Amino acid sequence: MALSSSCWKYLVLTFNVLFAMSAVALFGISGFLLYRMFIYRHFIGVNVEYPAILLLMMAIITCSIAWIGWRTAKSMHHIHVVMVYLLSDPTKYKSYAGTLIVLVVVIEFSCFVWAMVEWDNIEIDIKSTMMNYFMETSERKDPNSADSLRWDKLHVKFECCGVSGPSDYTSTGHVPFSCCGQGPLDSLHKPYTADCSTLYQRGCGKQLHEYAKKQLLYVAMAALTASILQVRT
């Protein structure tokens, strides 16, 4: 080989540091986006979260590969350094390790495609999920239940009411105070109390649809960026 074992070692160590940095960044971004969707999982459904979950798993796997490469390169053995080099170079398709890296990149790109497919079909899924959850909450007729409080928080957060608007509550006989804006909560976590002279007229379905589409778009862009950067690395 033209380069000494020591040169190979530091070359591989540098690669693994860069590889690990990209994985840590991906882990943070995907974890944050997953959290932003997870807190509204009762309204948007779990299907929307799957691309972010898969992307988070790829970040963990990438971190593991970088850690193994780092530990191997630190061993100082020439044969190990060569193995790490093969592991670190995704263009070496004939090597098992190179194929592993390519597989990670392909799956990350698949996350991009999956997220865009979900982005395109999310409106129907969210509306159906929200309507089902709204009916379940209404049937319980308990304003202090965990489900009712989730609707209260959703109303206040997005300044909306029900799925399509205040008319959704016609069958229940009353509109929750949270549809008027945030008021003080008592010690028993009863519904929000406020001057209900003006109701939010827009429904939460459209607001949550736009919110979820934005998160999915961020997931798609993160997956695409990660796959491109790791190939170029």
Side-chain angles (χ1 to χ4, degrees):
M1 298 179 109
L3 295 178
S4 65
S5 297
S6 179
C7 290
W8 278 122
K9 172 186 173 180
Y10 291 112
L11 178 64
V12 172
L13 287 176
T14 300
F15 169 82
N16 280 286
V17 169
L18 296 175
F19 203 55
M21 289 175 61
S22 67
V24 170
L26 183 62
F27 180 85
I29 293 172
S30 59
F32 175 70
L33 294 174
L34 178 59
Y35 165 77
R36 286 177 64 85
M37 289 186 285
F38 180 78
I39 56 179
Y40 297 111
R41 64 192 181 281
H42 298 89
F43 305 98
I44 64 179
V46 296
N47 291 340
V48 180
E49 303 172 22
Y50 288 152
I53 293 174
L54 182 57
L55 192 60
L56 183 63
M57 292 174 60
M58 288 300 101
I60 296 174
I61 292 173
T62 304
C63 284
S64 300
I65 293 174
W67 180 80
I68 293 172
W70 174 273
R71 291 295 300 272
T72 306
K74 292 285 287 184
S75 67
M76 296 292 292
H77 296 300
H78 179 74
I79 185 61
H80 288 169
V81 174
V82 173
M83 289 174 62
V84 176
Y85 173 72
L86 292 176
L87 177 66
S88 306
D89 189 353
T91 63
K92 295 184 177 297
Y93 295 102
K94 294 183 179 180
S95 69
Y96 171 79
T99 303
L100 179 61
I101 298 297
V102 171
L103 181 61
V104 170
V105 172
V106 169
I107 294 177
E108 288 176 347
F109 186 79
S110 298
C111 287
F112 160 73
V113 176
W114 192 0
M116 293 307 298
V117 171
E118 286 291 336
W119 180 86
D120 191 48
N121 299 324
I122 194 174
E123 183 174 7
I124 298 176
D125 294 339
I126 287 183
K127 186 173 182 180
S128 176
T129 302
M130 289 188 71
M131 285 301 301
N132 291 335
Y133 189 52
F134 182 83
M135 294 302 297
E136 291 175 3
T137 305
S138 300
E139 289 174 358
R140 291 188 177 91
K141 298 181 180 180
D142 182 5
N144 297 322
S145 67
D147 295 327
S148 296
L149 291 177
R150 290 190 188 101
W151 280 100
D152 286 337
K153 292 177 181 178
L154 186 70
H155 295 159
V156 173
K157 173 67 177 180
F158 292 97
E159 297 184 348
C160 57
C161 187
V163 180
S164 303
S167 60
D168 292 341
Y169 286 97
T170 302
S171 60
T172 65
H174 70 281
V175 178
F177 286 116
S178 55
C179 285
C180 310
Q182 188 174 9
L185 287 172
D186 62 21
S187 59
L188 297 179
H189 300 286
K190 292 183 178 180
Y192 294 101
T193 56
D195 181 8
C196 215
S197 58
T198 303
L199 292 173
Y200 296 135
Q201 296 301 312
R202 63 184 183 182
C204 298
K206 183 178 180 180
Q207 305 304 312
L208 203 56
H209 168 230
E210 293 176 353
Y211 173 88
K213 286 192 72 171
K214 184 182 295 185
Q215 308 313 311
L216 274 177
L217 183 61
Y218 291 152
V219 170
M221 293 300 100
L224 180 62
T225 302
S227 61
I228 291 175
L229 290 178
Q230 289 177 1
V231 167
R232 292 180 64 87
T233 303

